[in-house]
Short mmCIF file of all heavy atoms in Angstrom, two decimals:
data_model
loop_
_atom_site.label_atom_id
_atom_site.label_comp_id
_atom_site.label_asym_id
_atom_site.label_seq_id
_atom_site.Cartn_x
_atom_site.Cartn_y
_atom_site.Cartn_z
N ALA B 106 39.45 66.69 72.65
CA ALA B 106 40.37 67.82 72.65
C ALA B 106 41.07 67.90 74.02
O ALA B 106 42.29 68.11 74.10
CB ALA B 106 39.64 69.12 72.36
N PHE B 107 40.27 67.74 75.06
CA PHE B 107 40.84 67.73 76.39
C PHE B 107 41.87 66.61 76.52
O PHE B 107 43.00 66.83 76.94
CB PHE B 107 39.72 67.53 77.41
CG PHE B 107 40.16 67.46 78.84
CD1 PHE B 107 40.26 68.62 79.62
CD2 PHE B 107 40.49 66.25 79.43
CE1 PHE B 107 40.67 68.56 80.94
CE2 PHE B 107 40.90 66.19 80.76
CZ PHE B 107 40.99 67.34 81.51
N PHE B 108 41.46 65.44 76.15
CA PHE B 108 42.34 64.27 76.27
C PHE B 108 43.64 64.47 75.48
O PHE B 108 44.73 64.25 75.99
CB PHE B 108 41.62 63.01 75.78
CG PHE B 108 42.47 61.79 75.85
CD1 PHE B 108 42.57 61.07 77.03
CD2 PHE B 108 43.19 61.36 74.73
CE1 PHE B 108 43.36 59.95 77.10
CE2 PHE B 108 44.00 60.23 74.82
CZ PHE B 108 44.08 59.52 76.01
N ARG B 109 43.49 64.91 74.26
CA ARG B 109 44.66 65.03 73.40
C ARG B 109 45.59 66.17 73.83
O ARG B 109 46.80 66.10 73.62
CB ARG B 109 44.24 65.21 71.95
CG ARG B 109 43.68 63.92 71.36
CD ARG B 109 43.06 64.18 70.00
NE ARG B 109 42.58 62.93 69.42
CZ ARG B 109 41.60 62.88 68.51
NH1 ARG B 109 40.99 63.97 68.10
NH2 ARG B 109 41.22 61.70 68.03
N PHE B 110 44.98 67.22 74.36
CA PHE B 110 45.79 68.34 74.83
C PHE B 110 46.82 67.83 75.83
O PHE B 110 48.01 68.14 75.73
CB PHE B 110 44.91 69.40 75.50
CG PHE B 110 45.67 70.55 76.08
CD1 PHE B 110 46.10 71.60 75.26
CD2 PHE B 110 45.97 70.61 77.43
CE1 PHE B 110 46.80 72.68 75.79
CE2 PHE B 110 46.67 71.69 77.97
CZ PHE B 110 47.08 72.72 77.14
N TYR B 111 46.39 67.02 76.74
CA TYR B 111 47.29 66.53 77.78
C TYR B 111 48.09 65.33 77.31
O TYR B 111 49.26 65.17 77.70
CB TYR B 111 46.51 66.18 79.03
CG TYR B 111 46.09 67.40 79.82
CD1 TYR B 111 44.76 67.73 80.00
CD2 TYR B 111 47.05 68.26 80.35
CE1 TYR B 111 44.37 68.86 80.71
CE2 TYR B 111 46.69 69.39 81.05
CZ TYR B 111 45.36 69.69 81.23
OH TYR B 111 45.00 70.81 81.92
N ALA B 112 47.48 64.48 76.48
CA ALA B 112 48.21 63.30 76.00
C ALA B 112 49.43 63.72 75.19
O ALA B 112 50.50 63.11 75.29
CB ALA B 112 47.31 62.40 75.17
N GLY B 113 49.25 64.79 74.43
CA GLY B 113 50.35 65.22 73.55
C GLY B 113 51.33 66.17 74.22
O GLY B 113 52.40 66.47 73.69
N GLN B 114 50.99 66.70 75.38
CA GLN B 114 51.86 67.67 76.04
C GLN B 114 52.01 67.29 77.51
O GLN B 114 51.39 67.89 78.41
CB GLN B 114 51.25 69.07 75.90
CG GLN B 114 51.17 69.55 74.45
CD GLN B 114 50.42 70.85 74.33
OE1 GLN B 114 49.21 70.91 74.55
NE2 GLN B 114 51.17 71.90 74.04
N PRO B 115 52.87 66.34 77.76
CA PRO B 115 52.98 65.79 79.12
C PRO B 115 53.32 66.83 80.16
O PRO B 115 52.93 66.69 81.33
CB PRO B 115 54.13 64.79 78.98
CG PRO B 115 54.26 64.50 77.54
CD PRO B 115 53.82 65.73 76.83
N HIS B 116 54.01 67.88 79.76
CA HIS B 116 54.37 68.86 80.81
C HIS B 116 53.15 69.62 81.30
O HIS B 116 53.08 70.01 82.46
CB HIS B 116 55.45 69.82 80.30
CG HIS B 116 55.08 70.60 79.10
ND1 HIS B 116 55.20 70.09 77.83
CD2 HIS B 116 54.57 71.84 78.96
CE1 HIS B 116 54.81 71.02 76.96
NE2 HIS B 116 54.42 72.08 77.63
N HIS B 117 52.17 69.80 80.40
CA HIS B 117 50.93 70.41 80.90
C HIS B 117 50.25 69.47 81.88
O HIS B 117 49.64 69.93 82.86
CB HIS B 117 50.01 70.74 79.73
CG HIS B 117 50.33 72.02 79.05
ND1 HIS B 117 50.41 72.16 77.69
CD2 HIS B 117 50.65 73.24 79.54
CE1 HIS B 117 50.74 73.39 77.37
NE2 HIS B 117 50.91 74.06 78.49
N LEU B 118 50.36 68.21 81.60
CA LEU B 118 49.76 67.24 82.51
C LEU B 118 50.41 67.30 83.90
O LEU B 118 49.73 67.35 84.93
CB LEU B 118 49.89 65.83 81.93
CG LEU B 118 49.11 64.75 82.66
CD1 LEU B 118 47.62 65.02 82.58
CD2 LEU B 118 49.43 63.38 82.08
N ALA B 119 51.72 67.35 83.89
CA ALA B 119 52.46 67.42 85.16
C ALA B 119 52.03 68.67 85.92
O ALA B 119 51.82 68.64 87.14
CB ALA B 119 53.96 67.46 84.90
#
Side-chain angles (χ1 to χ4, degrees):
Chain B
F107 179 90
F108 179 84
R109 288 170 178 156
F110 177 81
Y111 284 117
Q114 297 173 291
H116 59 277
H117 278 133
L118 189 63

